[in-house]
Every structure is written in C-alpha cells, then in structure tokens.
Amino acid sequence: MSLLEGMGKDLVGEDKTNRITEILKRGDVAKALAQFEERIQRQGSLPLSAVNALILWYVKHGPIDKAFYIFREMQDKMRLQPNLFTYRTLLEGCMQNNLGETALSLFEEMVAKKIPLDATVFNVIMGSYAKRPKEKSKVFDYLRVMKSMKIAPNVITLTTVLDVCLQRNDLEKAFAYFEEMKQDPQTHPTAITYNTLIDGCMRLRRLELCDALLEEMKKDPQTQPTEVTYNILMKGWKTDPQLLAKGFDLLEEIKRDSIPYSDVTYNILLDGCMKTHQVDMAFALFEEMKNDPNARPTEVSYNTLISGCIKEKLLDKALFLFEEMKNQRVKALKPSRLTCNILINAYLHAGQVEDAMKLFEHMEAKITPDEVTYRCFIFYYARQQDIAEAKNWVERMTRKGLRPDRPTRLLLIKLEQGNAALTEEEKEALMQEPTNKD
C-alpha cells in the first residue's frame, strides 16, 4: 500500500481539481509543492484534503519544516482552517522529530479552536511529557483528562503511562496498569508493552520478573518476542559472566525459532564478552558473525573488539583488527573517526607517541580529526605535566575551527596552577578513554 492509500475518510473532500493527492501518489512531491505555491500566488485555495496530503508527505519523508510551512501558509494565505487530521499529522511529526514544545503549542491551539480531540492527540502530548524528567507527573494528569472527556485510552496511552511508572521505580503501579490492559481486548498488551516492562524490570534488577514476562510473551500468539526483546535481556545480562551465558542461550533460541535478528544482537554479546574479560569467546563469536548471512560484522563490531582489546592491553590484536578494517572492500567497514580516536588514545596511553602521530596524519589525509582526536593529545600531555605541549594542541585545534569542551578548558586552567590543584576525580578522568562524539 502506498503512503496515501491508507488515508481513507480522513482526507475529507477528495481533490478533484488540482489532483495534488494523485501527484503525491506518483512520488512527485516537487510538482505537488509547486502547484500549492502557484495557487497561493494566484490567491486561490485548495481542497483541505490536498493540503493535508502534502503535509502528511513531509511529515513522513521530511523535512518537517516544510510541513509546518504549508500549515502556516494554508491559514495565512488560503484562509483554510486545519482539521483534526491536520493537527494529528503534525503532532505525530513532532513526536518523530522530538519537538515536544511544538507539540504542546499545537495541543493548546486545538483546545482554543475547540477542535475535537482523540486518543492519538493525547498520546503525543503524554509522550512528550514522559521524556521530561521534571514533568512526568503530567502524564497522569492528561490520563485523567482523557477519561473525564470519555476518550478511551488505547494501548499506546497505557504503555506510555506504564513506562512513566517504571521510570519512577514504581513497579507495583506499572504492573497494575499492565493487568488492567490485559482485561480489555482493545488495550491488550503488545510486544512493545512487554519490552517496556522487561526493560524496566531489568533496570531495577528484578531478573525473575524478566524471565517470567519472556515466558508469558511466548505463550501469547499476539505478543511473540522479537529481536528487541532478546536484545533488552542480553544488554541487562552482559556485564555478569554467568548471566552472559544465558545471552548465548538466547542467541541459539533466536536461531532455532527463526526469529529475525541482526548484527545488533551479536554486538551486544561481543561487548559483554569484552566487558567480562572473555576475549577468546569474543573472537570466536566474531568469526561466527563473518559466516552468518543475517549478521555480518559492522564497524560497531570492530570498534567493540578494538576498544576491548586495548582495555585488556592487547594492542597487537587491536592493530590487527584495524588493518583488517583498512583492507575491507565495503566502505561502511573502513576505519571511521571513532576507530582512529580509540587507537590514538591507546597509543598515547602506551607511550607510543610516534605511532599516534602517524595515525593522526593518516586521519588528516583521509578523515578529518574532531575535538575528541585533539582531546586525546591534550589529555596525554596533561598527564605528562607538559602544559606547553597541551596548549600547543589546543592552538592546533582552534586553528581548525574547533573548540575544546568546557571540562578540557577547566582542566588546563587547573594544570597551570600545578598538579596539586587537581581533585582525585579529575586525575582519574585524565586516564579514561575520551568520550567520542561519533
């Protein structure tokens, strides 16, 4: 089904004259927008369905700014009033693009214009508040408003409420909403609901509940576990050697039950192996990936192993992987800025400044160094108490139009006052692998 075929009765008043809807079905958005702007220039109008179709297109395909441009122009130039479908489409666009403030403004506008509200509208607003640490309680306020307006909460509504309960560590209340959802066929929990609950239980280290929820999912044909479900469990287990073994059992289960999976699943286990110091197991799993048509190694796979090898002081293995990446024919597997930054930092921690400089020069020729690259050198010379050279790297950085971040600038100021001015936490920070932007 094409993007617009499912719009049905929401696009009230089919576009008979301008045929923008038909043009969009053919994918010619430039022509559709040109017709819209031509009609504005002629001070004409268009059927609301045609304008809604154009807004929907830009919400789905981007840029979202174009959707809001059309929204403004339809009111200012065409004197065309948006309807529930218009607002609902834009609200969904706000959710996809993390535009919480804009969504709230649209909601207030709808209330002021007395446009009928539905569950979708409330879901967007509640979803926006759910992401605000200090305003999560408003999710419950809007749930009460929904019920007072006799608008039935749907699965998305209650999953959002359940998620907020988990964020507030209120497991009892989360399960109360979960049980409430089960009682109504209209709000029967989906795989997303289960995944949300499993993720919350894992974060609170209620592992027995995670296992029980997984088994419950398997028994319900409507909520079979997906790759996401298994990945949530593996992430929660990956730092414990005994629990990591269960992760490998899950991988076998995924394959046995023909559940679609990807490199993401393998990469979680790779990271777990390196974090639990099981290097040989990690490399065995990596070789398995190379022979798995569903989950070939990615840049993340290589970087996970390289970073892990460096922490295990296995620089030779890390360099072998780096060379293997350089020889890859697939561009996506070539060493990235992130890979180079990890290795430069490793060279510097090992005191191999010359090797770090060679890699830096390679980056300058092929990949533009970023703030993190320069920070590796700044931190190295700070550790060596060579303030002059640390400042030199700051100057090199600024000549490239880059600025040291605030912690780095504060660190340099303190170092000029002598090492005694550093707190133990700051001294330890100098020994850590710098955080990568990538």
Side-chain angles (χ1 to χ4, degrees):
M1 180 183 287
S2 71
L3 176 65
L4 299 172
E5 284 172 358
M7 294 170 72
K9 61 183 180 182
D10 282 316
L11 288 178
V12 183
E14 189 62 34
D15 179 13
K16 302 289 187 185
T17 56
N18 207 274
R19 303 185 66 78
I20 281 181
T21 306
E22 291 302 319
I23 293 169
L24 285 173
K25 282 181 181 178
R26 295 196 298 270
D28 194 349
V29 66
K31 185 175 179 181
L33 184 60
Q35 291 207 13
F36 173 79
E37 292 179 333
E38 179 189 347
R39 189 61 66 96
I40 288 174
Q41 294 298 323
R42 289 163 41 195
Q43 297 185 329
S45 188
L46 284 169
L48 182 57
S49 60
V51 180
N52 280 344
L54 201 49
I55 288 173
L56 177 64
W57 180 277
Y58 280 114
V59 165
K60 294 284 187 182
H61 295 281
I64 188 70
D65 291 349
K66 281 282 187 187
F68 279 99
Y69 160 75
I70 294 163
F71 177 66
R72 290 190 300 271
E73 293 292 280
M74 70 183 279
Q75 297 175 80
D76 296 344
K77 303 287 177 63
M78 290 185 168
R79 306 297 178 195
L80 198 59
Q81 289 305 307
N83 63 4
L84 173 61
F85 183 85
T86 320
Y87 281 103
R88 199 168 61 190
T89 303
L90 288 169
L91 283 168
E92 288 175 351
C94 289
M95 179 177 276
Q96 292 165 17
N97 292 274
N98 199 24
L99 300 172
E101 291 293 342
T102 307
L104 292 173
S105 296
L106 286 170
F107 181 79
E108 289 169 4
E109 192 176 307
M110 290 180 76
V111 172
K113 290 183 176 181
K114 298 184 178 178
I115 291 172
L117 305 175
D118 65 3
T120 301
V121 173
F122 277 95
N123 288 345
V124 175
I125 300 306
M126 291 166 74
S128 297
Y129 278 119
K131 295 175 184 174
R132 298 174 172 219
K134 296 181 179 179
E135 297 184 281
K136 293 184 190 299
S137 61
K138 290 190 178 180
V139 169
F140 301 101
D141 295 338
Y142 277 97
L143 181 63
R144 283 191 288 273
V145 172
M146 275 185 85
K147 291 180 177 179
S148 71
M149 295 175 70
K150 300 197 176 350
I151 298 173
N154 60 21
V155 180
I156 297 172
T157 317
L158 294 177
T159 300
T160 301
V161 173
L162 183 151
D163 185 33
V164 171
C165 293
L166 292 168
Q167 290 176 44
R168 300 169 79 176
N169 299 334
D170 193 342
L171 205 55
E172 184 179 345
K173 199 168 185 179
F175 271 94
Y177 279 110
F178 184 61
E179 291 304 320
E180 180 186 322
M181 292 175 76
K182 289 181 184 177
Q183 303 309 312
D184 186 347
Q186 300 300 315
T187 59
H188 188 82
T190 64
I192 293 173
T193 313
Y194 273 95
N195 290 344
T196 302
L197 198 49
I198 290 172
D199 191 42
C201 292
M202 184 62 75
R203 184 176 55 79
L204 296 171
R205 305 313 289 168
R206 295 294 303 273
L207 304 185
E208 76 287 357
L209 293 176
C210 296
D211 291 339
L213 286 165
L214 177 63
E215 292 307 312
E216 194 174 303
M217 286 183 83
K218 291 177 184 176
K219 292 174 184 175
D220 188 338
Q222 295 182 58
T223 58
Q224 288 297 293
T226 65
E227 181 188 12
V228 174
T229 315
Y230 288 104
N231 288 351
I232 290 168
L233 291 165
M234 290 179 189
K235 278 182 185 177
W237 296 338
K238 71 180 182 180
T239 55
D240 183 311
Q242 289 184 329
L243 291 175
L244 181 63
K246 290 177 68 175
F248 278 88
D249 292 340
L250 286 185
L251 179 61
E252 292 307 312
E253 188 176 305
I254 289 171
K255 292 180 178 180
R256 184 195 69 214
D257 295 342
S258 301
I259 296 169
Y261 64 96
S262 68
D263 58 279
V264 176
T265 304
Y266 271 103
N267 289 338
I268 292 168
L269 292 176
L270 279 177
D271 190 38
C273 289
M274 298 311 280
K275 278 185 166 61
T276 55
H277 313 291
Q278 300 181 74
V279 178
D280 290 343
M281 187 181 290
F283 274 89
L285 186 64
F286 187 62
E287 291 303 314
E288 185 180 317
M289 280 185 83
K290 291 179 179 179
N291 297 313
D292 190 330
N294 297 312
R296 301 283 192 202
T298 62
E299 184 202 334
V300 173
S301 316
Y302 277 97
N303 287 345
T304 299
L305 285 179
I306 289 170
S307 183
C309 285
I310 288 165
K311 288 170 184 171
E312 294 292 324
K313 303 191 186 312
L314 300 170
L315 189 55
D316 287 347
K317 280 183 179 288
L319 291 173
F320 174 81
L321 289 163
F322 181 67
E323 290 301 319
E324 190 173 291
M325 286 183 84
K326 283 164 66 175
N327 293 328
Q328 292 286 346
R329 293 182 181 179
V330 181
K331 187 177 179 182
L333 284 179
K334 294 284 186 185
S336 67
R337 187 184 292 118
L338 172 58
T339 317
C340 293
N341 286 344
I342 292 169
L343 273 173
I344 283 175
N345 192 57
Y347 277 135
L348 292 171
H349 274 288
Q352 297 174 227
V353 182
E354 189 176 335
D355 290 323
M357 280 303 303
K358 282 180 184 175
L359 186 48
F360 179 79
E361 288 161 5
H362 164 81
M363 285 183 77
E364 287 191 304
K366 304 222 177 229
I367 311 166
T368 307
D370 64 358
E371 292 95 331
V372 177
T373 319
Y374 286 95
R375 200 191 315 159
C376 290
F377 287 95
I378 295 167
F379 276 33
Y380 169 73
Y381 286 108
R383 289 194 297 272
Q384 303 302 312
Q385 295 291 292
D386 189 342
I387 308 303
E389 192 57 29
K391 280 184 162 185
N392 174 44
W393 277 92
V394 172
E395 288 169 10
R396 291 179 69 162
M397 183 181 188
T398 53
R399 283 199 297 270
K400 295 291 185 181
L402 303 172
R403 280 178 55 81
D405 58 18
R406 188 169 180 273
T408 306
R409 293 197 303 273
L410 290 174
L411 184 62
L412 288 169
I413 292 169
K414 283 203 165 191
L415 283 169
E416 285 183 326
Q417 299 168 357
N419 192 47
L422 287 173
T423 65
E424 288 303 316
E425 189 176 328
E426 287 165 336
K427 289 176 187 175
E428 187 178 340
L430 285 175
M431 299 303 296
Q432 300 303 314
E433 182 177 297
T435 304
N436 260 283
K437 285 171 42 177
D438 300 10

